[in-house]
Amino acid sequence: MYADAETIRRILTATGDTWAVVGLSNNEERAAYGVADVLLRYGKRIVPVHPKAETVHGEKGYASLSDIPFPVDVVDVFVNSGLAGAVADEAVGIGAKAVWFQLGVIDEEAYARTRAAGLDMVMDRCPAIEIPRLG
């Protein structure tokens, strides 16, 4: 319901290649680290967004989406569901084209707001699982 095949394909192939990964740090044991690596292998530019603003996978990090000084196409959200809605609202505010809530990240009200603002959105899915399926 929150991840139809057409929207998934559009975000992964046509929306743009600059992905802000919210919650990405240098902790290699966190899912965000591995997913960012997969996105890089598929030609995406990743932008780490984390309060520590660490450089991850060679990319400069930022403390928040609004700190990124260039356009972002997709915001990939690795924060818990209680914080995800505010991230989606910030994604709308910076002019992102799409929002992707990771597996287990669910906020139906944020989904409705983000779609109403005209952005594509996927919720409770992982791009690292979906992108190889595009074949």
Side-chain angles (χ1 to χ4, degrees):
M1 178 177 176
Y2 297 109
D4 66 274
E6 180 182 324
T7 302
I8 289 170
R9 178 174 291 280
R10 185 170 48 249
I11 291 172
L12 291 173
T13 64
T15 298
D17 291 332
T18 301
W19 284 56
V21 183
V22 179
L24 176 58
S25 71
N26 276 310
N27 184 342
E28 295 179 19
E29 296 182 11
R30 303 288 300 190
Y33 190 89
V35 170
D37 188 52
V38 171
L39 291 170
L40 285 168
R41 289 197 316 253
Y42 279 88
K44 306 300 182 190
R45 175 186 184 188
I46 59 111
V47 182
V49 179
H50 189 281
K52 294 180 184 176
E54 299 174 318
T55 296
V56 184
H57 293 301
E59 293 286 344
K60 177 181 176 6
Y62 297 89
S64 71
L65 290 173
S66 58
D67 289 340
I68 301 171
F70 49 82
V72 169
D73 300 310
V74 181
V75 176
D76 190 6
V77 182
F78 279 92
V79 301
N80 72 53
S81 298
L83 301 174
V87 176
D89 295 341
E90 191 176 8
V92 170
I94 66 162
K97 299 173 188 169
V99 174
W100 191 299
F101 279 10
Q102 280 294 325
L103 290 171
V105 180
I106 299 169
D107 182 333
E108 294 179 4
E109 292 176 3
Y111 181 90
R113 286 194 311 271
T114 303
R115 296 289 296 134
L119 282 70
D120 275 334
M121 184 164 178
V122 171
M123 187 163 67
D124 195 27
R125 292 288 178 97
C126 179
I129 294 170
E130 301 296 335
I131 202 166
R133 293 179 177 170
L134 297 176

